[in-house]
Amino acid sequence: MSIVTSEQLVARLQQQIAQLEPEEFATPEWRKKAVLFDIRDVQDAADGVIPGANLVTQRFIELDIGRYQLEQDQPIVICCYGGRMSLLAARSLTELGYRNVYSLRGGFSAWKDAGFPVVKPVTLDAAERKRYSRHLSLPQVGEQGQLKLKAARVAIVGAGGLGSPIALYLAAAGVGYLRLIDPDVVEDSNLQRQVIHSTATVGLPKVESARQRMLELNPFIEVDARCERLNVENAADLLAGVDIVIDGSDNFDTRYSVNSAIITNRQILVSASIFQFSGHISVFAPHLDQPCYSCLYPVRTPNELAPSCSAAGVIGALAGVVGLMQAMETIKLILETGQPLYGKMMIYDGLRGTTRLLSFERNDHCPDCGRERRSVEELSAQSSHTACGMEGL
Ligand SMILES: [Zn+2]
């Protein structure tokens, strides 16, 4: 068999691979149904991309495509510079078994020349690439995943035992916008577990102490410090504008207020509680038809059954373990990888060194996300003013 020239190869692929005209791809129907991959060099794509494009290096498209978890029949459109490289990439995906792969004829140049919209993509600069290199080499993260982290907006309720490791690790991971909400100041007795603070910041508002430390760790992120007490009246406003809320609070009133707010705001809630040597972690997403906090705990725990942290004590390392499980769930949610703890409660027993998973369902009669949802006024009247403690299951 004689050697095939690149022109012959392209001509052959043009026969084998379906090609899509820019005019057709610009129709709302195609824009909606197809997943678009731009396989140009990141530096070239930085000047402009077709809206909605996923940036994937052509060299690795076969290895990267799996993490998008696409159905075999999902229409996939590949865009390169002029419509030649995309033929090769489309052939690779076809070989992997994808049945609806198209090459954009004429590539990005043809799209742009035809006057169709182009947007500037969010990209990583050289310093960010160096900083996040251990993420970039993970197939589940890569450049696209790091950009998702950069674009993510997360609120952390409480800058204490759970909030400290959550805030530190999400800052380090490059979550682009982190809002911290806590009304308290740093005290000496906090430092046994609230490791984001330091002896030097005793007396400062916790959110300010934490903000300083987070920006020292990662100046590429934005930290929005809110020195306020979250309650049922202000929760929805305080938490507005973020995708994910992490509850690291230490009392039931705040937990129910946060739960009510995420139902109103249609947000995901990563929740946890700790007590002495054990912790509970779960993820609630009622807007995605998953259970909420009140589906699991419809009846409020009476004050006397919820001993306070200061009375009952807590191991500092436990706050670290459980807070980082919350951080891990959050990163998974942002990256859209793995299985979130929806409808599942992970119970960590520090004394035994074991974890257990319990399953629970959405409750149609839930007082907060069910049909007969209680009002803010009712919630306010039911406030228990309970200190830290973990609910019994
Ligand atoms: Zn519910």
Side-chain angles (χ1 to χ4, degrees), residues 14-15 23 47 67 87 129 143 177 208 236 265 284 308 333 343-344 349 389:
Q14 282 172 338
Q15 301 299 316
E23 290 71 20
D47 289 335
R67 68 189 172 82
L87 287 168
R129 245 181 232 119
E143 176 120 6
Y177 172 91
E208 187 48 38
N265 294 349
F284 303 108
S308 73
L333 288 163
K344 295 206 164 50
D349 181 335

Side-chain angles (χ1 to χ4, degrees), residues 266-308:
R266 301 176 62 77
Q267 294 156 321
I268 299 177
L269 170 60
V270 180
S271 181
S273 58
I274 51 174
F275 183 67
Q276 294 188 331
F277 288 90
S278 61
H280 291 177
I281 307 99
S282 189
V283 179
F284 303 108
H287 65 297
L288 302 177
D289 209 26
Q290 299 292 337
C292 83
Y293 181 78
S294 298
C295 289
L296 186 60
Y297 303 113
V299 180
R300 285 174 169 249
T301 309
N303 288 0
E304 58 273 22
L305 294 181
S308 73

Side-chain angles (χ1 to χ4, degrees), residues 296-338:
L296 186 60
Y297 303 113
V299 180
R300 285 174 169 249
T301 309
N303 288 0
E304 58 273 22
L305 294 181
S308 73
C309 255
S310 54
V314 64
I315 293 289
L318 175 72
V321 169
V322 175
L324 290 186
M325 284 179 174
Q326 287 180 280
M328 190 69 207
E329 286 300 310
T330 305
I331 287 171
K332 274 161 53 184
L333 288 163
I334 295 170
L335 295 176
E336 300 171 279
T337 191

Side-chain angles (χ1 to χ4, degrees), residues 291-295 362-363 366 368-370:
C292 83
Y293 181 78
S294 298
C295 289
R362 188 160 189 197
N363 174 6
C366 170
D368 286 333
C369 75

